[in-house]
Amino acid sequence: MQTDPYNVNIRDDSGPWTPRPTLGGDDYRSLEVFDREREKIWWGDWITVGRAEEVANPGDFVTKDVAGESIFITRNEDGELRAFYNVCSHRGTKFLDDDSKGNVRKAFKCPYHAWTYDLNGDLIGSPNVTEDEYFDRSQYPLHKIAVDSYAGFLFVNMTKDEPRPLLEALTDGAESITAFERFKMEEMSVGVRLVYNVKANWKIIVENFNECLHCPQIHPELVQVIPLFRFGEVWDEEIRDDGNIMIEGATSFTKTGQSELPKFPNLLPEDYQMYYGSYEFPNLMLNIHPDAVMYYIGFPKGPNETLVISEFLFRPETIADPELFKPEPVVEFWDLISLQDWDVVERAQTGVGSRAFTRGVYPRQDRFLYWFNEEWRQKMGRPLEG
Ligand code: FES
Ligand SMILES: [Fe+2]
């Protein structure tokens, strides 16, 4: 269990509470705030960008848009991850297309003047630049970005300072995906991918993920499977790793509580009837089930818009066997819940855009959101509200 540096008493559902304010309207809609978020949050510390399997082999590459910066991740000949800005050192040209992936074998070539870079980002070819120019190629590598992986997730850190260790970032929040090593997510593969373009600020999506006050009204099917959610709670003090027990007899996160998917091996006995949710600041929202893992990765497109990637992980041997790989009930259930959520977060976004909205209010069941807002304020260099 993680510590609580912001003193919000987040796990105590009966502790003292007085109404706390939400973020302000401008925090959800203004370009100025969004610009500061880009520097402080999206380019200032570790964020999740995808899965290591997207660049499984040397020479594989994948491009990502991080709050308007195009970057790419690759793997060098020693199998080590590398990440760079998608910017040529010659005259700045963006050399890989958006949303592209593939394998370049040994080198990246700029489409403009054909300068080439090896998998470590070193400039190895600059046609027609001649010896007598005393041109030292080693001075013009690609612009490097820190990259690392944990539990099969890919993380980048675009800070201009020295990046802190990834593990430090992963363990300093209210929840941590490091609590779930027994699920061996690094061995899993993406079996299904859904993409949603949500017309809402990324923080509204995170806030919605981290509360269940809305569950009884928005998710009638979900509260059938996880009874605690009827009460608007997301944490059950009695259960380790913030698990939520499913209804009696349920062993899978589906409408019926059943699925034909093989269960993950070697878990704790109670894991086979549990739902676990975990949030890693700023953009990884993880859901762990006995036979599938689903996560959202949010990529902000502006103050009012977020691309949400929803991917489903399974054991590779399950995906490989058509007799075993029957993900539909889990995927359909999640897609239903996601669409219910996107509908309501888009309404929330519209509302916070009104001139009538200055700040809203958090009751006790929203305490994790207040905690998230404190963490956001701290990253943004604003005073904490306490
Ligand atoms: S800008 Fe890339 S080679 Fe000229
Ligand atoms: Fe929801």
Side-chain angles (χ1 to χ4, degrees):
M1 186 176 285
Q2 303 306 117
T3 52
D4 176 12
Y6 306 122
N7 203 22
V8 181
N9 219 5
I10 45 175
R11 281 191 169 67
D12 186 351
D13 63 6
S14 58
W17 185 262
T18 48
R20 307 289 225 293
T22 68
L23 296 179
D26 280 349
D27 297 332
Y28 296 112
R29 66 193 178 212
S30 95
L31 263 177
E32 211 180 322
V33 173
F34 184 68
D35 273 344
R36 190 167 172 83
E37 284 179 340
R38 294 164 94 198
E39 288 291 342
K40 297 286 176 187
I41 292 171
W42 299 101
W43 308 333
D45 202 352
W46 292 101
I47 63 153
T48 313
V49 292
R51 292 286 295 174
E53 67 177 286
E54 296 176 69
V55 284
N57 302 305
D60 285 355
F61 72 90
V62 61
T63 60
K64 302 280 176 179
D65 179 297
V66 179
E69 280 287 348
S70 179
I71 67 165
F72 68 98
I73 298 125
T74 186
R75 208 176 273 278
N76 71 12
E77 297 189 27
D78 296 323
E80 296 161 333
L81 291 165
R82 292 285 181 267
F84 306 99
Y85 287 87
N86 192 2
V87 172
C88 182
S89 298
H90 176 213
R91 275 168 37 210
T93 302
K94 171 173 167 176
F95 57 81
L96 296 168
D97 293 338
D98 289 334
D99 299 318
S100 62
K101 58 176 167 184
N103 183 289
V104 293
R105 291 170 53 82
K106 290 179 185 308
F108 293 93
K109 182 159 96 177
C110 178
Y112 202 168
H113 315 94
W115 286 26
T116 53
Y117 303 87
D118 69 14
L119 301 177
N120 289 311
D122 291 323
L123 181 62
I124 52 170
S126 47
N128 295 325
V129 179
T130 51
E131 290 266 324
D132 64 351
E133 296 179 45
Y134 305 104
F135 182 69
D136 180 3
R137 283 186 193 147
S138 72
Q139 296 304 298
Y140 306 98
L142 291 175
H143 306 276
K144 203 168 178 175
I145 296 164
V147 58
D148 205 347
S149 70
Y150 178 85
F153 290 96
L154 271 182
F155 299 86
V156 297
N157 188 329
M158 295 160 72
T159 179
K160 290 180 179 147
D161 306 324
E162 187 57 32
R164 60 177 172 158
L166 171 63
L167 216 53
E168 186 185 312
L170 292 180
T171 52
D172 78 350
E175 300 177 323
S176 177
I177 64 168
T178 59
F180 303 103
E181 292 204 325
R182 63 190 182 279
F183 284 83
K184 302 202 184 316
M185 287 185 279
E186 66 283 357
E187 295 177 5
M188 296 184 192
S189 301
V190 175
V192 176
R193 178 179 217 245
L194 303 177
V195 178
Y196 304 98
N197 206 358
V198 186
K199 298 275 186 287
N201 184 278
W202 68 274
K203 299 186 293 301
I204 289 190
I205 293 170
V206 168
E207 287 162 1
N208 177 75
F209 179 77
N210 283 323
E211 56 94 354
C212 224
L213 261 183
H214 72 275
C215 292
Q217 174 152 286
I218 302 297
H219 304 303
E221 301 84 359
L222 171 61
V223 300
Q224 300 281 338
V225 180
I226 302 177
L228 181 77
F229 287 177
R230 276 183 210 287
F231 306 100
E233 275 296 339
V234 289
W235 277 315
D236 187 333
E237 280 310 289
E238 308 292 303
I239 299 175
R240 60 176 287 163
D241 302 328
D242 299 321
N244 297 121
I245 196 157
M246 296 189 286
I247 44 155
E248 175 97 45
T251 57
S252 183
F253 192 74
T254 68
K255 225 175 203 170
T256 61
Q258 310 299 322
S259 91
E260 292 178 61
L261 289 164
K263 306 296 172 212
F264 294 140
N266 306 319
L267 303 180
L268 301 170
E270 63 265 33
D271 290 336
Y272 294 100
Q273 47 179 334
M274 215 64 82
Y275 159 82
Y276 297 102
S278 192
Y279 167 63
E280 284 290 354
F281 192 93
N283 66 335
L284 177 61
M285 292 160 267
L286 183 68
N287 305 285
I288 299 177
H289 309 302
D291 51 10
V293 169
M294 192 286 274
Y295 53 84
Y296 299 117
I297 302 177
F299 291 95
K301 295 288 159 190
N304 306 315
E305 192 177 339
T306 307
L307 180 76
V308 181
I309 307 294
S310 162
E311 287 176 327
F312 296 75
L313 301 178
F314 307 91
R315 300 280 319 164
E317 60 272 20
T318 300
I319 295 174
D321 185 342
E323 290 296 304
L324 298 177
F325 190 47
K326 305 238 166 70
E328 293 80 9
V330 178
V331 174
E332 281 162 17
F333 194 49
W334 261 119
D335 190 36
L336 171 76
I337 294 166
S338 299
L339 293 174
Q340 290 167 337
D341 278 328
W342 309 151
D343 182 59
V344 81
V345 298
E346 290 184 351
R347 281 173 181 271
Q349 182 68 34
T350 309
V352 300
S354 163
R355 61 203 285 266
F357 183 84
T358 49
R359 298 180 83 172
V361 60
Y362 290 133
R364 184 191 276 130
Q365 247 86 330
D366 278 338
R367 60 198 181 280
F368 188 23
L369 281 50
Y370 187 73
W371 195 101
F372 163 67
N373 292 173
E374 287 283 72
E375 184 162 20
W376 181 85
R377 279 187 278 272
Q378 189 258 322
K379 303 261 190 213
M380 291 287 278
R382 293 196 193 177
L384 300 183
E385 303 222 349

